[in-house]
Amino acid sequence: MDQAHDNDEISLKELIGKVRELGHTLRTEVWEKHRWVIVLVTLLTGFGFGFKAYTTKPTYTADLTFILKESAGGGGLNALMGQLSFLGGGGGSTNADKLLTIALSDNILERVILDTASVNGKADRIGNHFIKTYDLHEKWKKDTVLQGFRFTTTPSQKQNRAIKQLTALLRKKICAISFEKKSNVIATKVTVEDDEELALVISLVWYDNLSSYFMNSAIAPQQHNLKMLTAKADSIFALLNGAESSFAVNSDKLGVINMQNKLPVGRSSRNMQMYGTMYGEVIKNKETVEFMLKTSTPSLEVLDTPFAPLEPQKRGTVLMLVLGCIAGLVLSVGWFAVRIFLKKMTAE
C-alpha cells in the first residue's frame, strides 16, 4: 500500500518536473530567442482577423415557418383508392420528404431567381437583385459568357448558365430548410449579405413558389383521375343517349308484331341497361375521386413570416482581434517548440 503511494508520489513529482522543464524551455529557448518573431506573428494574425471582421459585410437572416397539414382521409379513403387502382397511383416517400427535396430543387430555385419583386424601391427580377447585391458582375469579369449579364424575359444559353451558378449559390449559402417531425412544422431560413430587403423578398417568394408547386403536384394524380373519369362519363352518356333514341325510333316502327320486328327494340333496350349500369359506376367513381380531392389533399399553413427590421449579424472586430492574437501566439510558440523538440529527438 505504501509502495503504491510512493509510486504515485514519484509519478506526480516527475510530472511536475516535466511541466517545469517545459516552461523553462519555452521561456529560454523559445521566448528569449524568438520573442520579436512571436510578437510580430501574434500582432499580424490579430490584425488580420480584426480586419477581416471589420470588412466583412453584415448578414440578414429571414426565418419563415409553416405547418404541413397531412390529409385526414385515413383507411377509408385508402380503401376507396384501392377500388380505383386501374387509374394508377403509387407510394413513395412522405409528403414532408418530398417537400424538403422540392424546396431546394433547381426547379423551385430557378422560379425564385426569375420571379419579379421590388427591392429597395426598384422592381426587377430577383436574379438581377442578387447579381447586384453580391457584385457578381465583378466576379464574372473574366467569364466571357456572363460578363455584364442581366436576366431578361428571353431565355438563352447565357441565362441557363447564370441560373445554374445562382441556384448552386442559393442552395449552398443562402437557403436552408428543416423539418420537425413531431409538430409537422417546416422552417425556412434565408441569409443574405448586406441587404435586409432582399432577404425578406427571397424568403416570401421562395415559400410562395414552393407552396404553389407542392400543392399542384400533390393534387395532380387526383386531377388526372378526375379528368379521365369525366371523359369516360361523357362518352358513356353519349352512348346512353344514342341507345335511348334508337329504342324510341324502333318502338315507333313496330307495326305487325313479330319476332323480327322486336329484335331492334330488344337490342336498344339491352344497350340502354348496359350503358346505364356503366354510367352509374363511372359517376360513382368520379364522385369518389372528387371527394378524395377535397378531403385527402395536404395543405400548407404559414405560422410565422419574417418582417423588418431584421437583426444584422456580424462578428465583433475587437473580439476577432483578440482571438486572432491568441491564435497567432499559439501557432508561433507551437512552431518553435516543435522545432526544438524535434532537434532534441534527433540529437538523442
Side-chain angles (χ1 to χ4, degrees):
M1 183 74 176
D2 293 338
Q3 185 177 1
H5 178 74
D6 292 340
N7 290 337
D8 291 341
E9 186 176 351
I10 292 172
S11 299
L12 180 59
K13 288 181 178 180
E14 289 180 349
L15 178 61
I16 295 174
K18 291 291 184 182
V19 171
R20 288 178 176 176
E21 182 182 349
L22 177 61
H24 177 75
T25 301
L26 292 176
R27 184 177 67 256
T28 58
E29 299 293 328
V30 175
W31 176 249
E32 291 182 359
K33 292 183 178 181
H34 307 286
R35 69 179 68 180
W36 296 115
V37 176
I38 294 173
V39 170
L40 181 62
V41 172
T42 299
L43 292 177
L44 287 177
T45 307
F47 283 125
F49 275 53
F51 180 76
K52 178 68 175 177
Y54 178 76
T55 56
T56 299
K57 297 177 180 179
T59 60
Y60 294 90
T61 300
D63 296 307
L64 185 148
T65 59
F66 57 95
I67 189 168
L68 172 63
K69 290 186 174 181
E70 298 284 2
S71 60
L77 290 178
N78 292 333
L80 290 174
M81 198 60 186
Q83 298 175 9
L84 304 177
S85 57
F86 67 90
L87 293 173
S93 58
T94 64
N95 285 320
D97 293 331
K98 293 177 183 177
L99 188 61
L100 295 181
T101 302
I102 292 171
L104 294 175
S105 66
D106 288 344
N107 190 320
I108 296 300
L109 296 182
E110 179 180 344
R111 293 178 183 220
V112 173
I113 292 169
L114 296 179
D115 211 327
T116 300
S118 179
V119 177
N120 301 318
K122 183 179 180 180
D124 201 350
R125 291 183 179 271
I126 291 178
N128 290 330
H129 291 304
F130 203 83
I131 290 172
K132 180 181 179 182
T133 298
Y134 282 84
D135 200 15
L136 295 182
H137 281 154
E138 183 67 24
K139 298 178 182 179
W140 288 343
K141 273 188 176 180
K142 297 181 179 180
D143 192 324
T144 56
V145 177
L146 295 180
Q147 187 176 19
F149 171 81
R150 284 183 59 82
F151 287 97
T152 63
T153 57
T154 306
S156 64
Q157 291 297 324
K158 287 185 178 182
Q159 179 167 295
N160 293 336
R161 181 167 177 172
I163 287 174
K164 185 176 181 180
Q165 292 197 20
L166 291 187
T167 53
L169 185 59
L170 284 169
R171 191 181 295 113
K172 184 178 181 180
K173 294 184 177 181
I174 311 300
C175 299
I177 186 168
S178 59
F179 173 61
E180 175 58 47
K181 291 184 178 180
K182 293 182 179 180
S183 59
N184 271 359
V185 172
I186 296 176
T188 62
K189 186 182 294 291
V190 174
T191 304
V192 176
E193 290 182 0
D194 201 30
D195 198 328
E196 175 187 14
E197 195 167 345
L198 183 59
L200 292 168
V201 165
I202 291 178
S203 178
L204 297 175
V205 171
W206 185 24
Y207 170 77
D208 289 341
N209 281 278
L210 174 60
S211 175
S212 176
Y213 182 89
F214 176 71
M215 295 304 299
N216 288 336
S217 64
I219 64 176
Q222 288 92 333
Q223 286 182 328
H224 175 70
N225 294 340
L226 182 60
K227 185 177 180 180
M228 288 177 58
L229 289 170
T230 300
K232 184 171 294 228
D234 292 342
S235 176
I236 295 175
F237 186 70
L239 293 173
L240 179 59
N241 283 338
E244 290 174 344
S245 298
S246 177
F247 178 78
V249 170
N250 291 321
S251 297
D252 292 340
K253 289 181 179 179
L254 286 178
V256 179
I257 299 178
N258 52 50
M259 295 302 296
Q260 187 173 1
N261 291 336
K262 289 182 177 181
L263 186 58
V265 178
R267 287 175 178 171
S268 298
S269 177
R270 181 193 61 198
N271 289 340
M272 286 172 55
Q273 293 178 0
M274 179 179 65
Y275 294 143
T277 302
M278 291 173 61
Y279 185 70
E281 285 297 317
V282 171
I283 290 298
K284 182 178 71 173
N285 290 338
K286 180 184 174 184
E287 290 175 350
T288 300
V289 172
E290 287 178 337
F291 176 74
M292 293 177 63
L293 190 60
K294 294 178 181 178
T295 59
S296 64
T297 301
S299 61
L300 305 180
E301 181 179 326
V302 175
L303 295 178
D304 297 301
T305 56
F307 55 89
L310 299 177
E311 186 70 24
Q313 299 172 357
K314 185 177 180 179
R315 292 181 178 178
T317 303
V318 175
L319 175 62
M320 295 307 297
L321 178 64
V322 173
L323 292 177
C325 289
I326 294 174
L329 178 63
V330 172
L331 289 174
S332 57
V333 171
W335 165 255
F336 289 116
V338 169
R339 287 185 60 187
I340 293 172
F341 177 73
L342 291 176
K343 284 182 180 180
K344 288 184 177 181
M345 288 187 61
T346 306
E348 292 175 0

